[in-house]
Amino acid sequence: MAVSLGKPPVVNLVAIDTGSTLSWVQCQPCAVHCHTQSAKAGPIFDPGRSYTSRRVRCSSVKCGELRYDLRLQQANCMEKEDSCTYSVTYGNGWAYSVGKMVTDTLRIGDSFMDLMFGCSMDVKYSEFEAGIFGFGSSSFSFFEQLAGYPDILSYKALSYCLPTDETKPGYMILGRYDRAAMDGGYTPLFRSINRPTYSLTMEMLIANGQRLVTSSSEMIVDSGAQRTSLWPSTFALLDKTITQAMSSIGYHRTSRARQESYICYLSEHDYSGWNGTITPFSNWSALPLLEIGFAGGAALALSPRNVFYNDPHRGLCMTFAQNPALRSQILGNRVTRSFGTTFDIQGKQFGFKYAVC
């Protein structure tokens, strides 16, 4: 998503993350560890050059809410300059950002709003964007701040489509949407139990014609996570079922992926060349199918490209994983690519639309 920050404006491309709440971009000066920001993500934002930029004071209510929602163990304050600070880590530590909170002008179309976001001074981030904008349920998330401007956002809903082919366009719509277009159905949307995010109730998982899940469980919708994470018991059933189906077409489970809690497959003919490169899988129609069912009858009937992908180092891998450390299951972005998805927060429902992008 492109955002226009400050005056004079600086346009940055940021990642959309429904699995987190804090919004941040890399800022000048970068005091500790800096992220190599791609040129297409825009210039690094410098709050000192924006005449509308203001620091968030340590004693402010917003700073206290930030500490509570991010579960910070120490005082989040830079006392010498009375600046509220933040620290956020993603997943198992693959990325983090530490910095100061600021408030500045954000332009959306022809409208302007004051946005509180983080100015990162220490960051570990391997993607190309300038930062991450959180769309979670906390009061300081980008979407909740935007909802405080009814002239900009008249209806609390977020719709987007992430294309399977990254060279093709997707879309994001804030506000009202076409309810009749959701041919995948609707399922109740609710605030997650243990995180300031939004969740669905998964009621069914069918793999290769076999029903693996018979009881209801919470599943967080996380656009920032690539893989869909399942409970270990569900993951084990999926592993067994898909591995049996893959063996019938000459593909076997790799031991390296098993240790990493991923599901990957290789055949004896996959290696080619002197350096042992893996031949990409191409017979997609031979692969087993999966379907995820949710409360209310909504269902995701997944195409093979939503379930599998070619990994140059591991072979043909599934977009599902297990993570025993997580308190909830997670619906990642690979399984929803090409689907139109809508967070109707005001109507408390989540909708799917097939083959949109």
Side-chain angles (χ1 to χ4, degrees), residues 134-151:
F135 279 72
S137 59
S138 290
S139 61
F140 56 84
S141 78
F142 169 74
F143 194 76
E144 289 299 320
Q145 290 188 68
L146 185 64
Y149 292 81
D151 56 324

Side-chain angles (χ1 to χ4, degrees), residues 40-243:
K40 65 180 178 179
I44 298 176
F45 181 71
D46 186 348
R49 293 181 177 271
S50 173
Y51 63 82
T52 52
S53 179
R54 301 181 303 277
R55 70 179 181 273
V56 177
R57 296 183 180 277
C58 298
S59 58
S60 66
V61 174
K62 291 180 178 179
C63 190
E65 291 177 347
L66 185 78
R67 180 183 180 186
Y68 176 79
D69 284 347
L70 294 182
R71 300 177 183 177
L72 301 178
Q73 301 299 316
Q74 300 176 348
N76 53 326
C77 178
M78 191 175 289
E79 295 181 355
K80 288 184 178 180
E81 55 184 76
D82 191 21
S83 287
C84 181
T85 61
Y86 74 91
S87 174
V88 61
T89 302
Y90 297 88
N92 293 323
W94 71 271
Y96 70 80
S97 174
V98 179
K100 297 184 291 187
M101 298 301 298
V102 299
T103 300
D104 210 334
T105 300
L106 173 74
R107 180 174 181 174
I108 299 180
D110 295 326
S111 301
F112 297 87
M113 62 175 281
D114 287 332
L115 179 72
M116 185 178 79
F117 61 96
C119 251
S120 184
M121 300 180 297
D122 179 12
V123 59
K124 174 187 174 184
Y125 188 56
S126 59
E127 304 299 330
F128 77 87
E129 300 95 352
I132 296 174
F133 268 38
F135 279 72
S137 59
S138 290
S139 61
F140 56 84
S141 78
F142 169 74
F143 194 76
E144 289 299 320
Q145 290 188 68
L146 185 64
Y149 292 81
D151 56 324
I152 301 177
L153 187 68
S154 60
Y155 189 85
K156 287 183 68 174
L158 163 69
S159 304
Y160 61 82
C161 184
L162 306 175
T164 303
D165 183 349
E166 294 182 3
T167 65
K168 295 181 179 180
Y171 69 78
M172 186 181 74
I173 300 171
L174 299 172
R176 298 188 181 278
Y177 64 98
D178 184 2
R179 290 179 172 80
M182 296 296 157
D183 51 9
Y186 289 97
T187 185
L189 178 72
F190 58 93
R191 293 195 176 210
S192 306
I193 296 173
N194 293 312
R195 289 171 56 177
T197 51
Y198 293 99
S199 292
L200 316 175
T201 300
M202 184 179 76
E203 292 191 336
M204 179 180 66
L205 178 62
I206 297 176
N208 200 35
Q210 299 183 43
R211 184 162 180 161
L212 307 182
V213 172
T214 58
S215 58
S216 301
S217 58
E218 180 187 10
M219 179 168 272
I220 294 171
V221 187
D222 187 350
S223 66
Q226 291 195 10
R227 290 181 176 83
T228 293
S229 295
L230 302 172
W231 295 130
S233 58
T234 305
F235 179 83
L237 290 173
L238 178 65
D239 187 352
K240 179 180 179 181
T241 302
I242 298 300
T243 297

